[in-house]
Amino acid sequence: MESQKILSDVFKLFSGASVYNPFEVIIIMISICISLSILSNTTNVTKPDNELPKIPAIDHSSNFSFLMLLRCIAFICVLFQLKKLHKIHSKFNFFFSIMVTLVASIILNNALLSWFKFEISNSFILFVDIVIYTLLLIDVKKCNLIFNSAFEIKNLKEAKKSVVQNLASCASSSSLDTFCMILLIALGNLSESKEIKNFSIFGCLLLASNFLISLTIFPALLSLILQFKSTNESKNYDKLEKSKSEIQLASNTTPLTALNSLKNPVLVYVKLLMTLFLIGVHLKLKFFNDKEFQTSNHSNSTSGKHEQNELHIDSKDKLLLYTESCLLISLIIYIFSTKFIKRNEEKDSQCQTMVNQRSVSCQTEQANTESEITAETKQNIFCSTEECLKYMKENPKRLLEDFSQEQIVDLVLKKHIPIYKLESYFKNAERAVCIRRKVIEAKMNQEYTFKSLPYERYDYSKIIGSCCENVVGYVPVPLGIAGPLLIDGKCYQIPMATTEGTLVASTNRGCTALSSSQGVFTRVLSDGMTRAPLVEFPSAMRAADAKEWLENLDNFSSIKNAFDSTSRFAKLESCKCCIVGKYLYIRFKSTTGDAMGMNMLSKGSEKALLELQKHFPDASVKSVSGNYCTDKKSSAINWIEGRGKSVVCEAIVKGDVVKSVLKTSVKELVDLNLTKNLVGSAMAGSIGGFNAHAANIVTAVFIACGQDPAQVVESSNCLTWMECVNSDDLYISCTMPSIEVGTVGGGTILDAQSSCLKLLGVHGANENAGQNASNLARIVASAVMAGELSLMSALASGHLVNSHMKYNRSTINLVSQAFSTKINNHL
């Protein structure tokens, strides 16, 4: 509604001025109170004798009893308000703000009463009335919600903004309630009792002043408390570490669930009908009074004084009867409707709160974890280490969910709980990660060691026991896309996770050049992972006998049967033997389906060695890996024999594409490849390094797709060959004999990495075992070719340095260093 928006804007204006200028607002309000007190005239105003005819005296004792009854009822309601304060576990700051608001109400109301020359018979009773009715009129629940929502946000600017938004959200309901109550209490001004009439005026002034205080003094005081709190907490960065998520949480949720009463149409209609009814009552009484006054004047001119008094007394009796009836009906409607609607509001508020809590828990798992930690800390803050150990001994199978974070950190530091087993003590692995971070920070005596390392909102269940141990978080790596790249007639988008500028851009340019021609053609030459156990014999002769035995085809069949029995995907292809003295190195080579297969090879090798020991009981297995494999190390055997997937790929790039896209010539590329990649690498004694930067592309694709980055050592073995064909076209090929990849197991189970594999269409196991892993190897080799082509072109044209200066030079560290130097110089 437009009116609600206008009221909300007005509230934002007043509350915003109070929140952002608290000192000025408080000084202005104090000045207004002092000015009213000085300018007011303390003499009481007496009514002239000829204003209205005299009214017969009424029983003042009944009025006094009625007012005292009202005060007693109000005092009982105040006690319920204080009980509500106790239930919500309000802090000292909230009590302090309520008390200061109460004092401000006393000062302002006293000044207003003096300014309007209100007759004050007893100052003490006035003081008691102001205190009682101010506490009665304060909406404790609303104030507490505003207070808590602001204190939950650690950022001062966002906390002040929350106060303004929350006050604006209750603009319509507060205005309607205040206006309705003023109209209701103003009916007492029509009474013939002086005490009730004064009490009615006093109530209306109190309502108006408290409404003004809620827009000025209360938000200004809350702003000062927030500033003081923010100054103290600036020394504790551990709390401010969570400010971003809390600001985001505060911005995503509704300002105050309990303040959404205007969304209940029944309550709105009841309040509006009451307001219209009360306005009608006032207009009717005003009209009725004027009519009677005119009638009395007419009677004065035509009849005697005795008839005039009787007529006036009769009219006043009617007026009193009508006023009391309207007042009683209004009170009944207001009390019962408010009480009935409040019950529904509380139920709706509880339901809405539950919905909000569920939505918040779905959006941020960190909020749930922190709230659980806080609750447990409060519950067990007084438990000692001995009590914790006693509980653990008495309940060995129970988790440590009942322990506080500080208690668990202390138990780990005292070596009662192994730090690497924290996940086994909690249902939520994220809490174990949080505690491990605290333990390591305590051990290093350095605060905020992990302040920039994220750990929230991560599925740790997938990595515990499979990918990583002693987890303290995760490291986000930028992911870029190069492509499309046409490979064997199909286009692929290549995911590359890297922090090296120009790498993705360079590979993307190579993809453009290759796809602009006929694309890349690939072939998997061989497929087999290797594992080479080390076996010791009593003598070299016994080792030679075992070598000859293994090379016999019939004997090899028995070893193969034992090896293949360990897995339905493991198929032993060969075993290559090498003797050094009495030591025998047996290099088993086996297919592994769509898995990279190291664990599969290790398991099969152990079974095969058991079969060997049946025929050579004197054989002793020294190690399941004798470095003859070779895994994660540069070696000639991988370069010559191959390991994993051996892939070759080729492409023909048109001469005009070389000139337009790569900005160089075919002749320059061929000459540079010969002198750099081949002759230069040979002079360096390189093994498998006859390329420009194959490891760059392999590493980026491996990290993105959940492969083992350490296996880049052998997987990046590559020979890049270029020559001129068709008089003006470029022929390029990359031969990579040892690409070690898999699409199941390891890091491929993680969500982000599996997404990259799905992008390539090679996620998980294929019906044709090994097809997805082979396709991934072909994609890696093709991406390497794109990177090789682009980098060699940049080198040939002399553009390498300029491109790196433009895209691969970060100024962040330089600016930070310069800023730090400047600060240190000033200090």
Side-chain angles (χ1 to χ4, degrees):
M1 295 174 65
E2 189 65 25
S3 59
Q4 290 186 8
K5 186 177 183 301
I6 294 174
L7 279 173
S8 179
D9 293 339
V10 173
F11 267 60
K12 280 186 179 180
L13 178 65
F14 276 92
S15 58
S18 302
V19 168
Y20 294 108
N21 305 283
F23 287 105
E24 291 83 351
V25 169
I26 293 175
I27 291 174
I28 289 173
M29 294 300 295
I30 293 175
S31 301
I32 290 175
C33 293
I34 295 174
S35 301
L36 290 175
S37 299
I38 293 175
L39 296 176
S40 63
N41 189 358
T42 57
T43 59
N44 295 328
V45 177
T46 58
K47 296 179 181 179
D49 295 337
N50 57 355
E51 182 180 355
L52 283 175
K54 292 291 183 182
I55 301 174
I58 58 176
D59 187 7
H60 291 280
S61 61
S62 62
N63 295 332
F64 179 78
S65 301
F66 175 70
L67 293 178
M68 289 305 298
L69 179 62
L70 285 180
R71 291 188 178 99
C72 292
I73 296 173
F75 183 74
I76 294 173
C77 294
V78 168
L79 292 180
F80 279 105
Q81 288 279 66
L82 295 176
K83 186 178 180 181
K84 194 183 296 183
L85 273 174
H86 176 71
K87 284 184 178 180
I88 61 179
H89 302 287
S90 299
K91 298 180 180 178
F92 169 77
N93 289 332
F94 183 55
F95 276 106
F96 178 73
S97 62
I98 294 295
M99 291 301 106
V100 174
T101 304
L102 178 62
V103 173
S105 176
I106 294 172
I107 296 173
L108 180 60
N109 282 288
N110 186 45
L112 288 173
L113 292 174
S114 300
W115 173 257
F116 287 107
K117 300 178 176 59
F118 190 84
E119 184 179 353
I120 303 173
S121 58
N122 193 323
S123 299
F124 176 75
I125 294 178
L126 175 66
F127 174 79
V128 172
D129 286 342
I130 293 176
V131 171
I132 291 177
Y133 294 111
T134 300
L135 288 174
L136 182 63
L137 293 173
I138 292 175
D139 192 338
V140 175
K141 190 174 182 180
K142 182 186 75 175
C143 293
N144 183 68
L145 288 171
I146 294 175
F147 197 92
N148 289 340
S149 63
F151 265 66
E152 287 174 358
I153 302 175
K154 306 304 179 186
N155 183 279
L156 178 61
K157 183 178 178 181
E158 294 296 332
K160 289 185 176 182
K161 185 178 178 181
S162 172
V163 174
V164 176
Q165 290 177 347
N166 290 334
L167 287 172
S169 67
C170 61
S172 300
S173 60
S174 299
S175 303
L176 184 60
D177 290 343
T178 303
F179 186 54
C180 185
M181 291 178 68
I182 288 176
L183 288 174
L184 184 61
I185 295 176
L187 291 175
N189 195 37
L190 301 174
S191 173
E192 297 303 322
S193 171
K194 181 180 179 181
E195 289 83 357
I196 296 178
K197 187 178 293 187
N198 289 345
F199 190 81
S200 175
I201 297 174
F202 166 72
C204 293
L205 286 177
L206 195 62
L207 281 169
S209 62
N210 284 339
F211 184 73
L212 179 62
I213 287 173
S214 67
L215 292 179
T216 54
I217 299 296
F218 180 74
L221 181 64
L222 183 55
S223 176
L224 291 177
I225 295 175
L226 289 172
Q227 287 182 3
F228 179 75
K229 170 178 169 288
S230 176
T231 303
N232 288 342
E233 289 189 350
S234 62
K235 300 177 182 178
N236 191 349
Y237 193 84
D238 189 32
K239 293 182 180 179
L240 294 177
E241 185 181 1
K242 309 182 188 73
S243 62
K244 283 188 178 180
S245 60
E246 290 174 339
I247 293 169
Q248 183 179 3
L249 178 63
S251 63
N252 291 337
T253 55
T254 56
L256 289 176
T257 305
L259 297 180
N260 292 334
S261 59
L262 280 177
K263 294 182 180 179
N264 190 332
V266 179
L267 183 62
V268 176
Y269 293 147
V270 169
K271 289 183 178 180
L272 288 176
L273 288 174
M274 282 183 56
T275 304
L276 294 175
F277 174 72
L278 291 172
I279 292 174
V281 170
H282 283 273
L283 291 176
K284 180 66 178 177
L285 292 177
K286 180 78 167 61
F287 173 77
F288 180 80
N289 193 17
D290 290 345
K291 184 177 179 181
E292 291 297 330
F293 183 71
Q294 292 173 3
T295 304
S296 64
N297 286 340
H298 180 71
S299 299
N300 266 335
S301 60
T302 57
S303 61
K305 185 176 182 181
H306 181 70
E307 293 176 357
Q308 174 190 354
N309 289 337
E310 288 180 355
L311 180 61
H312 184 74
I313 291 172
D314 183 60
S315 65
K316 287 299 178 181
D317 290 338
K318 292 180 180 179
L319 180 62
L320 285 173
L321 179 63
Y322 187 80
T323 301
E324 291 169 357
S325 300
C326 291
L327 180 60
L328 181 61
I329 294 172
S330 301
L331 282 172
I332 292 173
I333 292 175
Y334 187 80
I335 291 172
F336 279 92
S337 62
T338 305
K339 186 174 181 182
F340 175 77
I341 296 301
K342 270 192 175 181
R343 291 180 180 177
N344 295 333
E345 278 185 342
E346 289 177 359
K347 293 180 180 179
D348 294 340
S349 176
Q350 292 176 358
C351 295
Q352 184 65 28
T353 303
M354 293 174 64
V355 171
N356 289 341
Q357 288 176 352
R358 290 175 183 174
S359 63
V360 168
S361 64
C362 293
Q363 294 173 1
T364 56
E365 296 178 3
Q366 177 197 5
N368 287 339
T369 305
E370 295 298 328
S371 62
E372 290 174 3
I373 294 173
T374 303
E376 290 163 3
T377 303
K378 289 181 179 179
Q379 183 179 356
N380 298 284
I381 192 67
F382 299 107
C383 293
S384 62
T385 303
E386 291 73 18
E387 291 174 327
C388 293
L389 291 174
K390 182 180 178 181
Y391 175 85
M392 292 174 63
K393 291 179 180 179
E394 293 175 352
N395 304 274
K397 295 184 179 180
R398 290 203 53 182
L399 302 177
L400 302 183
E401 301 292 343
D402 297 333
F403 286 17
S404 69
Q405 177 174 299
E406 290 76 10
Q407 292 167 349
I408 300 173
V409 170
D410 185 61
L411 290 172
V412 175
L413 289 174
K414 294 180 179 179
K415 299 184 178 180
H416 296 299
I417 298 177
I419 190 172
Y420 61 87
K421 292 180 64 177
L422 281 172
E423 282 79 8
S424 63
Y425 289 96
F426 301 99
K427 296 179 182 178
N428 188 353
E430 185 174 302
R431 188 183 176 196
V433 173
C434 178
I435 292 174
R436 185 177 290 113
R437 290 160 67 103
K438 298 294 182 183
V439 172
I440 295 176
E441 288 174 358
K443 286 184 176 180
M444 297 179 67
N445 293 323
Q446 295 178 4
E447 287 188 279
Y448 323 128
T449 305
F450 301 110
K451 64 179 180 180
S452 300
L453 180 68
Y455 73 98
E456 304 91 356
R457 297 180 293 278
Y458 195 86
D459 189 1
Y460 291 102
S461 62
K462 293 185 177 180
I463 68 171
I464 303 301
S466 59
C467 293
C468 189
E469 301 77 34
N470 279 346
V471 182
V472 294
Y474 55 92
V475 179
V477 180
L479 180 72
I481 296 293
L485 177 58
L486 185 61
I487 305 173
D488 297 323
K490 183 178 180 180
C491 287
Y492 292 89
Q493 300 285 351
I494 313 298
M496 302 176 66
T498 180
T499 56
E500 180 182 352
T502 73
L503 178 59
V504 177
S506 176
T507 307
N508 188 71
R509 184 175 74 152
C511 292
T512 302
L514 292 171
S515 299
S516 297
S517 299
Q518 298 178 352
V520 183
F521 299 93
T522 65
R523 182 68 60 87
V524 177
L525 304 177
S526 66
D527 181 5
M529 182 52 64
T530 63
R531 174 62 84 194
L534 169 59
V535 183
E536 181 183 7
F537 289 88
S539 64
M541 300 302 103
R542 287 294 290 170
D545 292 340
K547 179 177 180 296
E548 292 177 0
W549 187 87
L550 287 169
E551 290 173 350
N552 184 282
L553 293 179
D554 294 334
N555 299 331
F556 174 76
S557 297
S558 63
I559 295 294
K560 176 178 170 58
N561 292 335
F563 188 101
D564 294 352
S565 65
T566 59
S567 172
R568 60 193 178 99
F569 297 107
K571 305 298 179 184
L572 184 63
E573 294 180 340
S574 65
C575 59
K576 182 179 179 65
C577 299
C578 175
I579 292 179
V580 179
K582 61 179 182 177
Y583 297 100
L584 176 64
Y585 297 84
I586 309 172
R587 191 173 191 257
F588 294 108
K589 183 178 181 180
S590 169
T591 59
T592 57
D594 286 307
M596 186 269 292
M598 287 302 302
N599 293 333
M600 197 181 299
L601 262 291
S602 299
K603 185 179 179 181
S605 298
E606 285 186 341
K607 189 71 172 180
L609 291 176
L610 290 175
E611 183 66 22
L612 177 66
Q613 286 177 324
K614 292 179 181 179
H615 302 278
F616 296 88
D618 54 352
S620 173
V621 180
K622 297 286 289 185
S623 173
V624 74
S625 175
N627 273 9
Y628 189 55
C629 314
T630 300
D631 185 38
K632 300 181 177 69
K633 290 168 284 292
S634 179
S635 65
I637 193 170
N638 288 342
W639 175 244
I640 298 171
E641 298 287 338
R643 190 170 192 255
K645 275 73 174 172
S646 295
V647 182
V648 63
C649 59
E650 64 179 358
I652 295 177
V653 185
K654 298 295 183 180
D656 58 345
V657 174
V658 173
K659 292 179 182 179
S660 61
V661 178
L662 302 176
K663 311 299 182 184
T664 185
S665 65
V666 174
K667 182 179 181 303
E668 289 177 345
L669 280 174
V670 173
D671 181 66
L672 180 62
N673 184 71
L674 177 63
T675 56
K676 169 185 165 59
N677 289 343
L678 302 182
V679 177
S681 296
M683 293 300 295
S686 177
I687 300 176
F690 300 95
N691 56 79
H693 69 148
N696 250 339
I697 292 85
V698 173
T699 304
V701 176
F702 270 32
I703 294 175
C705 296
Q707 308 303 306
D708 189 346
Q711 291 183 325
V712 171
V713 176
E714 59 267 38
S715 296
S716 59
N717 284 339
C718 176
L719 190 150
T720 301
W721 174 255
M722 296 182 186
E723 62 180 85
C724 182
V725 296
N726 303 330
S727 71
D728 195 26
D729 296 337
L730 175 68
Y731 172 84
I732 179 173
S733 69
C734 289
T735 304
M736 305 182 70
S738 53
I739 301 179
E740 301 167 357
V741 292
T743 58
V744 296
T748 64
I749 66 174
L750 303 179
D751 294 337
Q753 287 77 354
S754 62
S755 297
C756 293
L757 291 173
K758 290 176 183 177
L759 177 67
L760 297 172
V762 294
H763 178 256
N766 195 292
E767 293 181 358
N768 183 10
Q771 188 62 49
N772 281 350
S774 296
N775 289 342
L776 180 58
R778 294 188 300 107
I779 293 170
V780 170
S782 302
V784 168
M785 177 184 285
E788 290 285 286
L789 182 59
S790 182
L791 177 58
M792 292 296 290
S793 300
L795 290 169
S797 61
H799 296 162
L800 178 68
V801 176
N802 290 334
S803 63
H804 273 261
M805 290 299 102
K806 184 177 181 180
Y807 297 107
N808 195 26
R809 280 182 63 84
S810 173
T811 59
I812 296 177
N813 292 335
L814 297 177
V815 172
S816 300
Q817 184 177 0
F819 181 76
S820 300
T821 304
K822 185 175 180 181
I823 293 297
N824 291 331
N825 290 338
H826 281 290
L827 294 176

